[in-house]
Each structure stands twice: as structure tokens, then as C-alpha cells.
Amino acid sequence: NRKREWSLSDFEIGKPLGKGKFGRVYVAREVKSKFVVALKVIFKEQLEKYRIHHQVRREMEIQMSLQHPNVLRLYGWFHDSERVFLILEYAHNGELYKELSKKGHFSENQAATYILSLTKALAYCHQKHVIHRDIKPENLLLDHQGRLKIADFGWSVQSRSKRHTMCGTLDYLAPEMVENKAHDYAVDNWTLGILCYEFLYGAPPFEAETQSDTFKRIMKVDLSFPSTPFVSSEAKHLISRLLVKDSSQRLSLQRIMEHPWIIKNANPMGVCN
Ligand SMILES: Cc1cc(Nc2nc(/C=C/c3ccccc3)nc3cc(N4CCN(C)CC4)ccc23)n[nH]1
């Protein structure tokens, strides 16, 4: 049904779910099939004003091409004279960060299950040369089974494989060029370390009063673990192997999936109630 042209009359619009920077998201139902979706509405004048039509187009191309249980689906899109509509998968249990702030912090089982789901989703995205670059609790949703879904690909980029520009050989690429390529991918690994810490302690590791203080703490990797009984040493080990300044030294996605803390605590089906 992706070929067919959608239009607003195909949907009954429900309650607004949230308001993003460039538009609102509503729950909606496709009239014929009664299928429930989320409809993201972006005003064309906003696209012009902020000059983000290429970014929105890229988000759409990327998300249309991704099909993974932990990546929110983009089923299709349409537009009218003044708006663009994205037909998105509906995640019935809402925003993960609201669950985190409600609970204060997650159990090791819940945190490990979410980190495993994120790692699998990122491994899939990286294999498709997609780097999200903006994984944060606000961009994570929960489906009806409590399974994590990465949403909002507004900031992800298709990684430019520089190799093609040098006709296949790496011999001529300066180390920082190659390193830069590796670095791009590993930025998501760093973020997994941040999220793992935040899931277990309820706040990100380098939080500070001001932006510049946070920046200083990140650059110093000023990492400390509050002494609490409910965070195991294996969890701290995993976090310390991800929050590493040298991106080439961060634990790979594959090694995260095999880490003892993940093996011991994560539910492989991604569900944990
Ligand atoms: C794209 C999408 C959203 C979505 N589902 C939901 N999004 C948002 C909040 C969305 C939002 C959007 C833009 C900016 C800020 C928030 N809030 C939701 C809240 C929900 N409920 C029902 C379940 N309750 C536990 C919490 C409130 C359910 C689904 C939600 N599925 N697919």
C-alpha cells in the first residue's frame, strides 16, 4: 500500500500527542483499515523559514528505508498546500523519558533490556550506513509491549563513505579522515554509555549547572559513580568502556551485546514489565 497516494481524508485525526520544533504529532486512524498511526504535521512555511526541507526529506528517506523492531516505522507521507504529513508507527506506551522521570531510575533488568534493544537498532542502522547522532530519552518511545522504539530521525545523517571519493583505496586518506569516519559511527556508542548511566542513576553522568561546565566534564570524561547498592560493578564496567574519549577504544556494538551485564540482565525479547 506504499505506492498509493495518501491524503488527509484517509484519516480521522485524534488527540494531539506532542508538539515538536517544526510541527505537532497527532494520533490518527486510517478510515478504511481502522489502523492507528501517529501523524506528524509539518508546516511548509516552517520548512522554508528554517530551510530544513532537505533535512526533513533526508529524515523521510532514511526512516522509510529502515525496518527494525526497535526503530519507529515511517509508513508513508503526503502533503497539501501548506503542510507535509508523515504517517508514523504509533507507539502505545508513549515517551520513555516520562517513564524514567516517573520511576526515578530503571532496574538493572529494565536498563539492560533497553540498552540491548538500542544496541541492536544501532547495529542495524550502522550496517545501513545510518548514524542517528541524537539518541536521547526524548527520542525513545515504548510500544504496547513496553518495547523500545527509536524515533525522530530528524538529525541522523547518511554517512558519506569517503572511500568512493578516492576510488576505492584508503592509502591516500589522512589518519584524521579515516579516524573521522570511525569517529562518526562511534558517537552513537558513546551515547549508549550516557543512556546506560542515565537509566540506572536517573540523570546523565556529566550534568552540570551550565552548558560550559557540562562541556568541560565531557571533555575530561569526568565520570563518577554514586555509591548505590542497586548498580552492579558489571554495569559500571560497561559504562566505563563506552565513555572513552578515544572513539576507537569504545566497546563495539557487538561487544556490548555480549557483555556479561547485558547477558545477565537483559530480556532478549526486548520486553520487560
Ligand atoms: C511519533 C509517535 C508518537 C507515539 N506515541 C506517543 N507519543 C507521545 C508524544 C509524542 C511527542 C511528539 C512530538 C513532540 C513531543 C512528544 N505521547 C504518547 C503518550 C501516550 N500515552 C498513553 C500511555 N500512557 C502511559 C502515557 C500517555 C501514548 C503514546 C504516545 N507514537 N508514535
Side-chain angles (χ1 to χ4, degrees):
N1 61 354
R2 219 194 325 232
K3 297 287 164 287
R4 62 163 293 179
E5 294 299 308
W6 294 103
S7 78
L8 202 46
S9 59
D10 290 317
F11 298 93
E12 287 161 343
I13 311 291
K15 67 182 168 70
L17 291 167
K19 188 179 175 330
K21 260 192 294 294
F22 304 110
R24 289 172 184 274
V25 179
Y26 300 84
V27 62
R29 191 167 61 175
E30 202 275 319
V31 172
K32 289 195 189 58
S33 63
K34 301 250 176 292
F35 190 72
V36 176
V37 295
L39 217 49
K40 186 170 179 178
V41 185
I42 305 169
F43 283 92
K44 287 184 177 176
E45 65 173 354
Q46 297 282 319
L47 292 178
E48 301 310 320
K49 185 175 159 196
Y50 294 100
R51 306 205 50 64
I52 53 161
H53 37 281
H54 55 282
Q55 178 184 316
V56 171
R57 184 185 310 283
R58 187 173 58 219
E59 169 186 346
M60 290 157 62
E61 280 156 9
I62 287 174
Q63 214 160 340
M64 287 284 264
S65 74
L66 299 177
Q67 312 227 354
H68 186 276
N70 299 113
V71 176
L72 200 78
R73 286 293 313 281
L74 171 61
Y75 299 120
W77 61 282
F78 57 93
H79 63 103
D80 65 11
S81 52
E82 72 266 3
R83 293 164 295 185
V84 175
F85 299 85
L86 306 187
I87 310 165
L88 290 158
E89 177 183 358
Y90 180 62
H92 291 71
N93 263 320
E95 299 169 277
L96 181 138
Y97 89 90
K98 286 201 174 151
E99 157 127 359
L100 179 58
S101 40
K102 195 169 66 182
K103 288 192 166 176
H105 64 85
F106 293 139
S107 69
E108 292 210 279
N109 292 77
Q110 202 165 13
T113 301
Y114 288 150
I115 294 298
L116 178 59
S117 302
L118 272 166
T119 304
K120 286 177 182 172
L122 287 174
Y124 170 80
C125 291
H126 288 186
Q127 170 215 342
K128 307 259 290 190
H129 309 297
V130 171
I131 304 147
H132 192 285
R133 299 199 310 181
D134 191 22
I135 312 276
K136 58 188 177 211
E138 290 76 8
N139 291 343
L140 304 176
L141 293 168
L142 297 168
D143 75 0
H144 61 291
Q145 288 180 297
R147 267 187 316 208
L148 177 143
K149 302 267 178 181
I150 300 182
D152 195 354
F153 280 77
W155 305 101
S156 50
V157 287
Q158 201 74 25
S159 86
R160 304 171 306 287
S161 54
K162 298 181 182 71
R163 268 196 292 279
H164 303 311
T165 53
M166 311 295 273
C167 50
T169 170
L170 286 177
D171 299 323
Y172 306 98
L173 287 187
E176 64 276 7
M177 281 277 278
V178 174
E179 163 66 18
N180 183 25
K181 186 177 166 315
H183 169 73
D184 283 353
Y185 276 96
V187 74
D188 287 337
N189 301 50
W190 169 277
T191 307
L192 279 172
I194 300 285
L195 280 171
C196 191
Y197 186 102
E198 182 165 9
F199 288 166
L200 291 168
Y201 292 100
F206 306 120
E207 209 171 40
E209 281 306 303
T210 64
Q211 284 252 333
S212 67
D213 289 351
T214 302
F215 178 76
K216 284 177 206 148
R217 294 195 62 198
I218 289 172
M219 297 317 283
K220 264 174 51 189
V221 192
D222 170 21
L223 177 64
S224 60
F225 296 106
S227 55
T228 42
F230 54 71
V231 180
S232 61
S233 50
E234 289 99 343
K236 293 173 189 170
H237 175 266
L238 175 58
I239 292 166
S240 316
R241 295 288 292 104
L242 289 170
L243 300 183
V244 173
K245 189 113 188 276
D246 176 352
S247 59
S248 67
Q249 297 306 308
R250 287 172 207 152
L251 213 54
S252 70
L253 298 176
Q254 191 52 43
R255 297 284 298 279
I256 297 172
M257 294 184 215
E258 296 156 359
H259 191 277
W261 182 68
I262 294 288
I263 301 294
K264 192 169 134 198
N265 292 285
N267 174 319
M269 298 309 294
V271 179
C272 55
N273 304 67

